[in-house]
Structure formats: C-alpha cells, structure tokens
Amino acid sequence: MSEAPASPLGADLQGTLAFLRAAESLKYMTRTSWTSNGQQETVAAHTWRLCLMALVLAQHFPGIDVGKLLRMCLVHDLGEAISGDISAALQASLPNKAEQERADLVQLVQPLPDAVRADLVALWDEYEAAASPEAKLAKGLDKLETILQHNQGVMPADFDFLFNIGYGAAYTRDHPVLAALRGVLDAETHERAREQVATRRSVSGEAS
C-alpha cells in the first residue's frame, strides 16, 4: 500500500513553525536602551510598544490603512533576529546596515510559504524606502518609541541624551500628531540631559 502524499498544508505549517522558532531570538536580542526597572530592552519589547503606539494613535491617522501600518511595525526589525540591533549612534559608520538587515530578513523568512515570504519582504522594502504614507508613519513612530524609551529608562551614566534631539527628525516633522509628540519628547530629553549634568556635578563635587 503506497503512502499518501504529504499535505502541502502540513509542509507550510512546518515552515511557519521553523520561522517562528528562529524569530524567537528577538525576545532576547537586546537594544542599546534600558527599561524603567533597569533591564536592557529587547527588540521584541520595542516592537510590541511600537505596535501599541500605532494602535492607540490610529484615530489620528485618517486615510491610513491601520492594518498595513501594524504589519510594517511588526516586520521592520525582523532581520535583527539574526545579526542583532545596531544602535542609531553607530549606524552612520555602517553604510551597509540596511543591506545586511534585508539579507538577514530574507534568510529568516526562507521557511515560510512563498506568498507569506514575499509579503513580509515587500512590507520591509516599503518601510525601508518610506514609500507610502503607512511606511512614513511607521518610521516616525519607530523613532518616537525609541526616544520615549530612552527618556523613561534607567540609562547608563554616559548615555548621550542630546543625540536624540536630531534623531529621526525627518520622519516626525510632517505629521501634526507626530510633531506634537516629538515636541513633548524633546522637552523630556532636554530635562534628562540637564539631570545627567547635575548628577555628574554632584558626584564630582562629592569626590573632590
């Protein structure tokens, strides 16, 4: 008696599980940011709050495909499951960062069904090129979530808060809600920088 042919659905599900197992590394891949209780932030944690930010602000984005926006937020850092996160401060010295991240993404999604794989890569490409209103919003929100975490977290004593004043400004200035949020976060950034200077002076004074 011949064996029944393998089910295409079974193969798809096995590939999907393989992808999900590989993506699990985002749960422990760390970023150069810390949480409010002093733990180093993971890529997955950043992605979760980025999606939450997009969801709760969706009412301010008329005409935007919110489902597509959320999918882009979910996909934008998937490639970091392989090579990890590169801090914004270091990205200027790594001109091939986007190429590496895309290559990592293509490798990561390889086990997925063809249509799903193509959709995720297309979403990433659209995000990276800021080629649609959803992509531009996702990029702006990504920068804002990063700054929000820096301001909220227990950051190292030598952290350069003022780097954030110019960080991602091109993606946050054109939408009124993003610009308003940026104004609040920039004020918080300046306050954290002032607190940092005051702390350094206090420690220096105590040591002298």
Side-chain angles (χ1 to χ4, degrees):
M1 184 175 179
S2 61
E3 294 183 2
S7 165
L9 178 60
D12 284 354
L13 292 180
Q14 288 298 325
T16 298
L17 286 173
F19 162 76
L20 291 172
R21 291 187 183 105
E24 184 261 353
S25 65
L26 292 170
K27 291 186 175 186
Y28 58 79
M29 287 287 189
T30 55
R31 290 163 54 85
T32 51
S33 188
W34 280 256
T35 65
S36 58
N37 69 345
Q39 295 185 15
Q40 194 163 3
E41 182 193 30
T42 66
V43 176
H46 160 68
T47 298
W48 163 76
R49 192 160 70 166
L50 172 60
C51 291
L52 188 63
M53 180 182 288
L55 181 64
V56 299
L57 291 171
Q59 61 181 314
H60 300 293
F61 305 145
I64 290 296
D65 183 339
V66 177
K68 183 179 181 181
L69 173 61
L70 289 170
R71 291 194 299 275
M72 280 189 179
C73 291
L74 281 169
V75 166
H76 84 292
D77 276 344
L78 272 184
E80 295 181 6
I82 294 178
S83 295
D85 176 67
I86 299 173
S87 72
L90 295 177
Q91 287 177 18
S93 62
L94 297 168
N96 297 324
K97 186 254 186 188
E99 293 178 18
Q100 181 62 56
E101 192 167 333
R102 189 183 192 280
D104 289 343
L105 172 67
V106 170
Q107 177 183 335
L108 180 72
V109 301
Q110 195 60 40
L112 288 168
D114 292 348
V116 178
R117 181 171 66 245
D119 181 54
L120 295 188
V121 174
L123 280 168
W124 189 92
D125 285 341
E126 186 174 331
Y127 169 85
E128 183 62 23
S132 66
E134 289 83 5
K136 291 174 183 176
L137 273 175
K139 277 188 167 288
L141 291 170
D142 176 53
K143 309 309 180 188
L144 293 176
E145 200 289 324
T146 297
I147 298 169
L148 174 64
Q149 189 60 58
H150 287 166
N151 289 344
Q152 186 177 8
V154 180
M155 303 301 287
D158 61 349
F159 183 77
D160 182 10
F161 284 100
L162 293 181
F163 172 84
N164 284 335
I165 295 301
Y167 174 58
Y171 298 109
T172 60
R173 64 189 174 208
D174 292 333
H175 192 285
V177 173
L178 268 58
L181 287 169
R182 184 65 187 249
V184 173
L185 293 176
D186 281 353
E188 290 181 357
T189 296
H190 281 295
E191 181 59 28
R192 286 298 306 266
R194 285 192 291 269
E195 290 173 356
Q196 184 183 58
V197 170
T199 299
R200 286 174 180 168
R201 289 174 176 168
S202 175
V203 170
S204 176
E206 292 172 0
S208 61

